[in-house]
Amino acid sequence: MKQPTIQMKFTASSAIVITMMVLLIEVSIYGVAIRQQMKDSGQIYSDLVDTMGKSFDDLYLSFKRGIDFITMNEELQQALEMPYESPDELEELNGRLKVLLSNRALFVNEIKGLYLYDSNQEIRTLWKKRSGQGEAYLPFPQIEQGWFLPSGKVSARVIKDDLVFTRTIRSMKDLKTIGYLLVVYDDKHLYQRIENVLPNKASSLLVFDKYGSVITHNYYEKDWLEEVIEKIPFSTRTKFQIIPLQNHKKVMISKYSSSSTGWQIISLVDVDYIIRSSVFLRDLVWILGIAAILGGVVIQWGLARRIVKPLNHMVEVVECAEKGDYTKRMELQTQDELKILGEAFNHMLEKTDVLVNQVLRDEIKFKEAQLALMQAQINPHMLYNTLECINWLAEFDRKEEIRQVTIAFSNLMKSMSSGKKMVTIREEIAYVEDFLSIYRIILEGNMKYQIKVADELNEIEIPRLLIQPLVENAVVHGIRKSLQGGQIHINIGLCEGGYLISVLDNGVGMTEEQVENIRNFAAGNRELKIPIGLGLSNVIERLGLVYGERAEFHIASEIDWGTAMDILIKTELKEGE
């Protein structure tokens, strides 16, 4: 199975990021649109309910005035109070009352019946509206005292599913109760009032009296009416709010409470009806989002190709250098960190080619050791690891870390290709820090290090790349092989008769056989069955070449404990040495 390329990984990761960002933007836009539309709709329906509520207040006031016009009539009150002795007299009085009642009733088109009772709650006369089939609306055979206010004020309530206006008729002379008037409002007129305002099935109006009974409504799902009424928050003061129903619907409730009648007008609007335009917006946003994702993927594919193409070219040059061909150069057209890395590597190849082909015979041994060191340092594995690290960081767009690795590796390459035989300890430590900074990123923070140098030793000169191979040995063979990572301590300080360079790690350590093998090599035994590694052997040989007997190399190591390597350089020899 073909492994995914860096370009594919980079594009896939970018596509995921773009998709998440587009989804977040789409959800935010849709959420804001829904919220604003709900807010605007709530205000509109609140204003509508307020208007309807004031309309019902005007209706109530109009009926109150009409009832005042009927009951506060001296002739009607006299006829109602006039005593009678025979049924004929009673019939004559009732006929007179009916005429008076009919003549003063100004709202006959809006009522179904009008009933007049005496103080004994006996019906005296009535007016009834006939239906198209000729059937008369049945009167109330009996009334209850609780329907009427003793003060004589007009009240309205739902009685037997009808809106009824009642009034206790009190004498204008002595204010005693002389009768009762009951007016039944025609609910068809009430229904037409609300149906003309909200004619669709998605919105409804419910009108309640002050006792909580339904006066009228146009809610189309009558089976759910009781549930809706139970969930209406009559006590809350908010103008509108959302309530869920058992039929998986949500409705917006707007409310008007009349201070004069005690009635409450409630509007119910299906939330799906309110957000119908937002559904179109949602679909449009989804289409634009998908287009943005596809466009972003195409753009990221092109950007990934621009990054990966120079890296592939650099890998080809590295492979040629590994085979001994130092003539091929990196030709990069970019103006970023990759160009810095390519120029440094080209410079290193040029120096290497000169060292390989133009060395003087009297410096062959030193140059061979130097070349061996460079071959050990310019290890293709390190180049591959560094380039892979750069590729991995590029996939996640970690530009700052790419810059750090590139600059550190460039500095390291320049140090390796330098013609200087001796450098100061300060310069050598700078090379070491560049090397460690690269591997700290490669190991993803699983390596820590500490460097301490005595101030008096910073300007002391030592062979170039004397400490770095020891540090590389500690990182590659000690810390990197440890699952827990580890720490490296580099100490350079004064000691009796000279100065001590110490490199300590708490990595996987070495076996006794490996340690003894290195000690034998340091003692001058070059006939080893197991090689000790090019970088470490090069350090030991160059110590002998430069310092002779003034330099000593020591090593101590145990499995799972770590490794300590010390270089003691004496500034002066004691007598007898």
Side-chain angles (χ1 to χ4, degrees):
M1 184 176 178
K2 185 178 179 180
Q3 295 296 323
T5 63
I6 295 175
Q7 185 175 358
M8 294 173 60
K9 293 178 181 179
F10 183 73
T11 304
S13 62
S14 300
I16 293 172
V17 173
I18 294 172
T19 302
M20 293 178 64
M21 292 180 63
V22 170
L23 288 176
L24 179 61
I25 293 172
E26 288 181 347
V27 171
S28 300
I29 292 175
Y30 184 66
V32 170
I34 290 293
R35 183 177 180 182
Q36 187 62 41
Q37 191 165 22
M38 294 294 290
K39 182 179 179 181
D40 294 342
S41 299
Q43 187 62 49
I44 292 172
Y45 282 102
S46 294
D47 294 341
L48 177 63
V49 169
D50 289 346
T51 303
M52 287 299 300
K54 292 174 182 178
S55 172
F56 280 108
D57 288 345
D58 293 340
L59 169 69
Y60 185 89
L61 181 61
S62 174
F63 257 70
K64 179 179 179 299
R65 290 172 179 171
I67 292 173
D68 288 343
F69 183 72
I70 294 173
T71 57
M72 297 181 70
N73 178 264
E74 185 175 353
E75 188 177 356
L76 184 140
Q77 289 195 2
Q78 286 177 356
L80 192 59
E81 289 183 290
M82 188 175 294
Y84 57 87
E85 295 181 356
S86 65
D88 293 336
E89 292 180 2
L90 176 62
E91 185 176 353
E92 181 182 353
L93 288 172
N94 288 346
R96 184 180 172 188
L97 287 170
K98 186 171 184 177
V99 172
L100 291 170
L101 199 63
S102 300
N103 291 338
R104 299 188 69 82
L106 304 177
F107 38 70
V108 292
N109 293 329
E110 299 182 28
I111 62 174
K112 292 197 295 186
L114 193 151
Y115 305 95
L116 183 64
Y117 303 85
D118 58 20
S119 59
N120 296 321
Q121 300 183 6
E122 296 292 336
I123 188 166
R124 296 293 298 274
T125 187
L126 60 88
W127 177 88
K128 301 175 293 183
K129 178 186 288 187
R130 291 185 176 276
S131 64
Q133 292 78 21
E135 297 178 357
Y137 180 75
L138 296 177
F140 287 83
Q142 295 179 345
I143 59 174
E144 297 181 10
Q145 190 69 36
W147 296 351
F148 301 85
L149 297 177
S151 63
K153 292 182 177 181
V154 177
S155 66
R157 65 170 64 203
V158 176
I159 303 175
K160 298 181 180 180
D161 297 329
D162 285 313
L163 175 61
V164 177
F165 291 83
T166 63
R167 183 171 195 175
T168 301
I169 304 174
R170 303 181 70 181
S171 173
M172 290 186 294
K173 297 178 181 179
D174 53 12
L175 298 180
K176 70 177 182 178
T177 301
I178 60 175
Y180 303 94
L181 180 67
L182 187 146
V183 182
V184 182
Y185 194 82
D186 191 345
D187 55 4
K188 293 181 180 178
H189 290 279
L190 288 175
Y191 183 81
Q192 289 175 357
R193 278 176 175 261
I194 61 177
E195 187 65 16
N196 291 335
V197 177
L198 297 174
N200 57 71
K201 291 186 177 181
S203 53
S204 309
L205 273 178
L206 287 80
V207 184
F208 298 86
D209 63 14
K210 64 180 180 179
Y211 304 103
S213 300
V214 178
I215 297 175
T216 186
H217 72 88
N218 65 337
Y219 190 67
Y220 66 98
E221 293 187 4
K222 295 183 179 180
D223 296 338
W224 298 95
L225 184 58
E226 291 185 3
E227 179 196 347
V228 172
I229 293 174
E230 288 178 0
K231 291 192 174 184
I232 291 176
F234 290 100
S235 59
T236 59
R237 295 185 178 181
T238 55
K239 285 191 174 183
F240 63 90
Q241 63 185 103
I242 308 297
I243 62 170
L245 302 178
Q246 290 183 0
N247 58 353
H248 305 292
K249 285 188 175 182
K250 292 182 179 181
V251 294
M252 175 185 285
I253 291 182
S254 302
K255 182 176 61 173
Y256 171 82
S257 299
S258 174
S259 59
S260 58
T261 64
W263 291 6
Q264 295 199 68
I265 292 85
I266 308 292
S267 74
L268 303 176
V269 187
D270 194 336
V271 172
D272 292 337
Y273 175 75
I274 295 175
I275 65 174
R276 65 191 185 283
S277 60
S278 295
V279 173
F280 172 75
L281 175 63
R282 178 196 63 192
D283 296 339
L284 178 62
V285 170
W286 274 111
I287 293 173
L288 294 176
I290 292 173
I293 291 172
L294 295 177
V297 170
V298 172
I299 293 173
Q300 289 299 326
W301 177 268
L303 292 176
R305 181 176 178 82
R306 291 184 61 185
I307 295 176
V308 172
K309 187 177 180 180
L311 292 176
N312 291 335
H313 176 61
M314 294 173 71
V315 171
E316 292 177 2
V317 175
V318 169
E319 289 176 346
C320 291
E322 185 181 15
K323 296 176 182 178
D325 181 5
Y326 300 102
T327 60
K328 195 169 185 179
R329 298 292 182 263
M330 294 184 181
E331 299 176 358
L332 302 178
Q333 304 301 322
T334 61
Q335 299 297 326
D336 51 20
E337 290 84 353
L338 292 176
K339 183 175 182 180
I340 298 175
L341 180 60
E343 291 176 349
F345 192 77
N346 286 339
H347 183 67
M348 181 201 68
L349 290 176
E350 292 174 0
K351 291 292 184 180
T352 304
D353 191 35
V354 171
L355 290 173
V356 169
N357 297 290
Q358 300 180 14
V359 289
L360 297 176
R361 292 185 178 275
D362 57 343
E363 294 181 339
I364 287 179
K365 190 169 184 178
F366 182 85
K367 292 297 183 181
E368 285 179 350
Q370 186 181 43
L371 180 60
L373 173 63
M374 292 180 68
Q375 290 173 343
Q377 296 302 309
I378 310 172
N379 193 319
H381 293 294
M382 179 184 174
L383 292 176
Y384 284 132
N385 290 337
T386 304
L387 293 176
E388 183 63 22
C389 176
I390 294 173
N391 292 340
W392 175 72
L393 294 173
E395 289 181 31
F396 296 93
D397 202 24
R398 293 163 66 173
K399 297 179 180 178
E400 179 58 26
E401 292 177 332
I402 292 175
R403 187 185 68 83
Q404 294 175 6
V405 171
T406 304
I407 292 175
F409 192 66
S410 175
N411 293 336
L412 197 59
M413 287 297 179
K414 288 179 181 179
S415 72
M416 292 177 181
S417 59
S418 173
K420 295 172 63 176
K421 297 180 180 179
M422 304 294 288
V423 295
T424 64
I425 290 179
R426 186 192 305 275
E427 291 174 323
E428 180 72 8
I429 291 299
Y431 304 155
V432 170
E433 288 181 334
D434 288 332
F435 175 83
L436 289 173
S437 65
I438 293 173
Y439 266 90
R440 184 168 59 180
I441 295 176
I442 292 176
L443 297 179
E444 299 184 53
N446 289 329
M447 180 191 76
K448 296 181 180 179
Y449 64 88
Q450 184 182 49
I451 301 175
K452 292 183 179 180
V453 180
D455 294 337
E456 301 89 337
L457 300 177
N458 277 321
E459 303 305 319
I460 296 295
E461 289 190 341
I462 59 174
R464 183 177 59 85
L465 298 177
L466 180 68
I467 303 175
Q468 191 271 341
L470 303 183
V471 175
E472 181 178 357
N473 188 81
V475 172
V476 176
H477 300 290
I479 304 301
R480 191 171 187 179
K481 292 182 179 181
S482 174
L483 297 178
Q484 293 80 20
Q487 299 181 2
I488 295 176
H489 294 271
I490 302 169
N491 295 306
I492 303 175
L494 293 169
C495 64
E496 185 176 357
Y499 53 93
L500 181 68
I501 301 172
S502 177
V503 178
L504 173 66
D505 71 82
N506 61 348
V508 297
M510 303 182 188
T511 64
E512 292 182 3
E513 183 180 3
Q514 290 174 313
V515 174
E516 191 61 28
N517 203 39
I518 295 172
R519 288 173 178 168
N520 289 335
F521 187 89
N525 184 4
R526 300 295 186 261
E527 302 297 325
L528 301 177
K529 296 181 180 180
I530 303 174
I532 66 170
L534 196 56
L536 190 58
S537 63
N538 190 274
V539 169
I540 296 173
E541 286 185 348
R542 287 194 299 142
L543 282 174
L545 287 172
V546 176
Y547 298 104
E549 296 180 354
R550 292 194 298 118
E552 297 178 5
F553 178 86
H554 301 279
I555 183 171
S557 181
E558 289 183 9
I559 296 296
D560 297 330
W561 176 84
T563 301
M565 291 180 285
D566 297 330
I567 295 176
L568 174 61
I569 299 177
K570 303 173 184 178
T571 55
E572 58 181 9
L573 290 175
K574 296 181 180 180
E575 293 182 5
E577 289 188 8

